[in-house]
Amino acid sequence: MNNTLPETMKAVINHGPHDYRLEQIPVPTRGPGELLLKVEAVGICASDLKNWAGAAKFWGDENRPAWSETECVPGHEITGRIIDLDDEARAHWDVELDDRVVLEQIVPCWDCLYCDNGDYHMCAPHMMYGFKRANPGGMEEYMTVSTNSLVHKISKDIPPAHAAFAEPLSCALHAVERANIKFRDVVVVAGAGPIGLGMIAGAVAKSPAQIIALDMDPRKLEIAKKTGATMTINIAEQDAVQVIKDLTGGYGADVYLEGTGHPSAVPQGLNLLRKLGTYVEYSVFKENVSVDWSIISDDKELDVLGAHLGPHCWPAAIRLIEAGKLPLDEICTHQLPLEDFQKGLDMVESGKESIKVSLIP
């Protein structure tokens, strides 16, 4: 280990629902084949907020198991510089000292049914950075990267918060891939937050006929236009279902990508899709959602698909970020010191001031 490093570091520790604390803990020592990173940025997302609130309680279902262990360091949208490694790590990830890297949030076992089939993002043990003590997350000054991890190099010429955006962007791109968008399609993206804006950027690369962004915040809708939306609808002022039906001769949209996490966005999507349309869900909901399943089956025969994490999409996400395809200065609105982690969580919960909030350890 680098002898110039301090013995202790600042880290956010999860002690239970609404009980995260900034503490001094020992700087970790990497094991054989592992990396030691100086964390440069870690984003805060809806799942971090859900975790902070106490996952089971957040769902309103005390029988639902919590996502996270206590005494864990949260944070899974991570970028950092490599400050210590060995030859095994060099060969495994094709990295070198001082490379900037981003980490996929999942740490696969590489030995279960899903990993064997190439679906590593659905790994049965499902270890993830920031949720288990065995894989501390990025809300700390230094962290180790275990040998099962997926590591990608990213440019050192972009701001750290932009590099950390590779995680939500990869997730959004996976949702776009699930949608199987065609050139003729009218695509509707619900929500112009980090995931929704990433969906718009991904949809642009598929060249559909229309990309329509829905939100209630005029500022976010303007950023959606800069990201590539061909049309925006403020759902606080207009009936999105009627507007889209009028636009499509009464039929409805071909594809609906849901990225708000608000229960009302689910029936909205089912109602504004045409028959044989495609609905892709990528949200962390605060509560259970009920819908009329007859719309999905008897009325429209919809394809309803889920999307989880960003498997195989990280190289594309990194290319989009490095090429400047998204207005990241306007998307990555707030960068806060680690000491202000609670302010960051509060900003994400409110959603009124920020789009993407990152901590800079």
Side-chain angles (χ1 to χ4, degrees):
M1 182 170 160
N2 189 330
N3 292 326
T4 63
L5 292 175
E7 293 184 359
T8 64
M9 65 178 182
K10 292 177 289 188
V12 177
I13 308 295
N14 175 1
H15 288 279
H18 299 282
D19 189 8
Y20 282 14
R21 306 175 201 171
L22 186 69
E23 299 180 4
Q24 286 287 137
I25 65 172
V27 172
T29 302
R30 66 163 184 83
E34 295 184 339
L35 303 175
L36 181 65
L37 299 187
K38 173 66 179 78
V39 179
E40 293 186 295
V42 56
I44 302 175
C45 86
S47 61
D48 290 311
L49 185 64
K50 176 179 176 180
N51 213 40
W52 169 75
K57 183 179 179 181
F58 202 76
W59 277 84
D61 181 358
E62 297 300 331
N63 296 316
R64 189 180 182 92
W67 283 14
S68 180
E69 297 174 346
T70 56
E71 312 303 321
C72 177
V73 178
H76 60 276
E77 298 181 2
I78 302 162
T79 190
R81 298 281 189 104
I82 298 172
I83 59 171
D84 194 26
L85 78 167
D86 58 19
D87 288 340
E88 183 182 344
R90 284 186 176 91
H92 181 49
W93 289 301
D94 187 25
V95 294
E96 190 46 82
L97 202 65
D98 200 43
D99 280 347
R100 174 186 276 167
V101 295
V102 287
L103 311 179
E104 296 204 25
Q105 60 284 75
I106 188 79
V107 183
C109 72
W110 301 114
D111 194 35
C112 68
L113 170 68
Y114 304 106
C115 289
D116 287 346
N117 287 340
D119 299 317
Y120 67 87
H121 65 302
M122 299 306 296
C123 174
H126 223 70
M127 295 296 293
M128 293 178 68
Y129 282 108
F131 296 93
K132 304 292 183 181
R133 287 186 289 272
N135 286 102
M139 293 187 189
E140 55 186 347
E141 293 182 272
Y142 303 93
M143 67 175 291
T144 56
V145 179
S146 61
T147 55
N148 278 7
S149 301
L150 293 121
V151 175
H152 304 274
K153 287 185 283 190
I154 193 168
S155 172
K156 291 183 276 190
D157 296 331
I158 59 177
H162 295 190
F165 194 74
E167 193 278 343
L169 182 55
S170 71
C171 294
L173 296 185
H174 178 49
V176 170
E177 283 206 328
R178 293 280 282 162
N180 193 25
I181 293 169
K182 306 292 193 304
F183 293 132
R184 67 173 183 270
D185 285 347
V186 172
V187 177
V188 176
V189 177
I195 294 294
L197 292 169
M199 289 171 171
I200 292 168
V204 167
K206 300 291 185 179
S207 297
Q210 287 261 38
I211 302 171
I212 303 171
L214 312 182
D215 206 286
M216 300 176 68
D217 186 334
R219 178 180 57 111
K220 291 180 180 178
L221 290 173
E222 283 302 310
I223 297 172
K225 290 179 184 176
K226 295 178 183 180
T227 308
T230 57
M231 178 178 175
T232 62
I233 299 173
N234 188 325
I235 61 171
E237 300 172 356
Q238 295 177 282
D239 180 346
V241 175
Q242 190 59 54
V243 171
I244 290 166
K245 286 190 174 181
D246 289 345
L247 180 71
T248 57
Y251 288 103
D254 302 280
V255 175
Y256 182 81
L257 303 170
E258 201 291 297
T260 71
H262 195 283
S264 66
V266 179
Q268 172 183 261
L270 298 178
N271 286 317
L272 64 75
L273 280 169
R274 65 166 174 82
K275 293 179 181 180
L276 303 175
T278 299
Y279 180 117
V280 180
E281 182 57 62
Y282 199 116
S283 281
V284 177
F285 286 97
K286 294 183 180 181
E287 54 199 272
N288 294 330
V289 181
S290 297
V291 298
D292 178 0
W293 277 76
S294 294
I295 299 172
I296 298 167
S297 57
D298 192 46
D299 291 358
K300 294 186 176 181
E301 195 177 321
L302 300 177
D303 286 337
V304 178
L305 304 169
H308 176 59
L309 305 187
H312 312 294
C313 292
W314 284 72
I318 291 167
R319 288 197 302 271
L320 288 174
I321 290 170
E322 292 180 341
K325 296 295 186 181
L326 293 89
L328 285 174
D329 285 334
E330 296 180 71
I331 294 172
C332 299
T333 52
H334 294 80
Q335 293 86 52
L336 306 174
L338 201 59
E339 292 86 347
D340 289 344
F341 72 90
Q342 189 60 59
K343 179 181 177 181
L345 289 165
D346 292 342
M347 291 178 75
V348 175
E349 184 175 33
S350 165
K352 294 179 180 178
E353 304 172 59
S354 64
I355 296 179
K356 170 51 64 179
V357 179
S358 298
L359 300 177
I360 308 297

